[in-house]
Amino acid sequence: MGTEDLPFAEPPVDGVHARRPHGDAYPAGARVGLLGVYDYDAVGIRDVAAEADVAVTTLFSHFASKEALVFAQDQGFEQRLTRAVTDRAPGEPLVPALRHEVRALVRHCTADSAAPIWRMIEASPALREYEESMRLRHAESLATAIAADPGLSRSPTACRAIARFVVDAYALAREAAEPQAAVDEVFRMIEAAWEVTRGTAGR
């Protein structure tokens, strides 16, 4: 999984990627770069558009809010989680497939180059709130995908609970001293919880 798959990476918009600073793999070019250099709450959308050399209307045609600039690929992350369910090979267990996706995401999000963007997120109440709502939305989409798989046979409550655990595993591991070990530790608990829910469909 490359940086384009991270929740805070972004697709090309006009010529912005040509202005991306060297090595700026995670903060998504000039727009997020400007937000990270200065206090996030003090930088307006017009400042970001000017730094990126695009019109304000161009930004808003791609991003619904300033927060969405930082998490511009959150839909890509959401889709990767749901595809871990829907694109599994016949007979492939669910939990290992989800663990693989979360491990990949955590590996990229704990790289040294990701530190500035996370400092910005942690320092901004608006960004923390946006991230929390994003995780809830991802969990709901994942729960829907799990519930729709006829081979998994779990109750709606079980699907939602497991989906929440999976999404929260990413957040917990990202903040851990040993992120990959944390992913494995949490997923052992998720695996046990998943087994306990076997045969709960229809309840």
Side-chain angles (χ1 to χ4, degrees), residues 5-19:
D5 300 310
L6 295 169
F8 45 78
E10 65 180 312
V13 177
D14 295 343
V16 175
H17 277 296
R19 297 168 57 87

Side-chain angles (χ1 to χ4, degrees), residues 2-200:
T3 57
E4 70 275 6
D5 300 310
L6 295 169
F8 45 78
E10 65 180 312
V13 177
D14 295 343
V16 175
H17 277 296
R19 297 168 57 87
R20 175 176 296 191
H22 178 70
D24 189 20
Y26 288 85
R31 285 165 294 189
V32 178
L34 182 66
L35 293 173
V37 169
Y38 301 101
D39 182 272
Y40 172 83
D41 295 320
V43 176
I45 198 72
R46 293 182 184 279
D47 301 316
V48 179
E51 179 69 11
D53 196 23
V54 297
V56 172
T57 53
T58 299
L59 285 185
F60 279 122
S61 70
H62 290 271
F63 307 104
S65 66
K66 190 169 69 168
E67 290 78 19
L69 285 167
V70 180
F71 298 98
Q73 273 295 323
D74 73 296
Q75 290 184 353
F77 177 32
E78 182 177 345
Q79 290 167 4
R80 288 191 69 92
L81 285 175
T82 57
R83 286 200 300 265
V85 179
T86 60
D87 293 357
R88 297 184 342 275
E92 181 182 0
L94 174 69
V95 175
L98 289 170
R99 182 176 61 235
H100 175 78
E101 288 299 332
V102 172
R103 281 181 63 91
L105 182 69
V106 168
R107 182 171 59 251
H108 285 283
C109 289
T110 53
D112 290 342
S113 52
I117 200 77
W118 287 113
R119 285 196 296 269
M120 180 175 69
I121 292 167
E122 290 161 4
S124 170
L127 287 176
R128 292 199 306 272
E129 181 178 350
Y130 190 95
E131 187 198 11
E132 182 177 356
S133 66
M134 181 182 71
R135 290 203 308 265
L136 290 173
R137 175 165 42 80
H138 292 177
E140 286 299 315
S141 294
L142 178 57
T144 299
I146 295 171
D149 190 320
L152 297 178
S153 301
R154 297 312 198 269
S155 70
T157 299
C159 293
R160 294 186 70 190
I162 291 298
R164 289 282 188 93
F165 296 159
V166 168
V167 173
D168 285 346
Y170 155 75
L172 288 169
R174 186 183 61 78
E175 298 171 356
E178 298 184 17
Q180 295 299 329
V183 171
D184 291 340
E185 181 179 0
V186 174
F187 266 89
R188 283 194 291 272
M189 292 183 277
I190 292 173
E191 182 76 61
W194 181 245
E195 287 303 313
V196 167
T197 64
R198 186 183 297 276
T200 62

